[in-house]
Amino acid sequence: MKIFSYWLCFALVAIPHAAALLGMLLAKSGVALPWITAWTVLSWFGSLVPPMFVFLIPPLVATVLHYALLALIGRRIWLQIAKREGVPSSYTIPPKVLGYIAAWSFTIGLVVLALSMALNAGSGVPVGMILLPAILCAPWAFFLTELLSFWGTKRGTEQSVASPDTREAAKD
């Protein structure tokens, strides 16, 4: 469940950013894309500040958080490709709980969506309400995991460079 929840959170955060980057590159080359509602819905998962709370924080803070998240996505992709690093060891209690909440919410939301489509019933509001925890928790689970991973990697590097005597003194 740990691996599934981490990679689901990563996908929910990374896919909207990749789609936005692709759309921007295509727009610069003169290719116009039709409006796709699915990308709009997915973009809700890719932001640390959900659309319903964006008016609560200053635009500068939202922009800084957006670029920080984008940098962490790039770092995770690089670590996966270059170092074959899977789920970071920093995916522990706080981010892991958020990731599990997001994974369960997203999975149950997809099941309810499939059932409502198969039965031709419902307005989509129940699915939206079920997906709300995933919209809130998935970006933060990924963001906190990557921040803790970045901080842990930096500390681990500093300790490995230190001499054995220094490490023994640090333990005391």
Side-chain angles (χ1 to χ4, degrees):
M1 178 72 182
K2 179 180 179 178
I3 295 170
F4 171 74
S5 67
Y6 176 78
W7 289 113
L8 178 66
C9 289
F10 172 77
L12 289 174
V13 171
I15 289 172
H17 287 282
L21 181 63
L22 178 65
M24 185 179 67
L25 291 174
L26 288 174
K28 292 274 186 194
S29 66
V31 177
L33 293 177
W35 182 260
I36 302 173
T37 308
W39 292 119
T40 304
V41 171
L42 278 177
S43 70
W44 296 343
F45 293 102
S47 174
L48 289 170
V49 182
M52 67 279 277
F53 299 130
V54 80
F55 67 92
L56 293 174
I57 66 166
L60 179 63
V61 173
T63 303
V64 167
L65 287 174
H66 172 76
Y67 284 116
L69 186 62
L70 192 58
L72 291 174
I73 290 169
R75 179 179 178 268
R76 176 53 44 200
I77 291 170
W78 177 78
L79 287 173
Q80 178 63 31
I81 292 170
K83 296 187 177 184
R84 299 283 184 213
E85 184 179 313
V87 176
S89 60
S90 60
Y91 190 60
T92 55
I93 302 299
K96 190 169 151 182
V97 168
L98 290 172
Y100 280 13
I101 291 169
W104 279 108
S105 170
F106 189 76
T107 305
I108 292 170
L110 286 182
V111 169
V112 170
L113 178 65
L115 286 174
S116 68
M117 289 171 65
L119 299 174
N120 201 15
S123 62
V125 173
V127 174
M129 297 305 282
I130 292 170
L131 287 176
L132 196 57
I135 291 170
L136 297 171
C137 294
W140 281 100
F142 175 76
F143 184 73
L144 291 175
T145 300
E146 292 305 317
L147 277 183
L148 292 172
S149 169
F150 185 72
W151 182 68
T153 303
K154 230 173 135 180
R155 278 191 52 173
T157 304
E158 290 171 1
Q159 287 181 354
S160 66
V161 170
S163 67
D165 297 332
T166 310
R167 279 185 262 157
E168 288 297 323
K171 287 182 184 177
D172 295 334

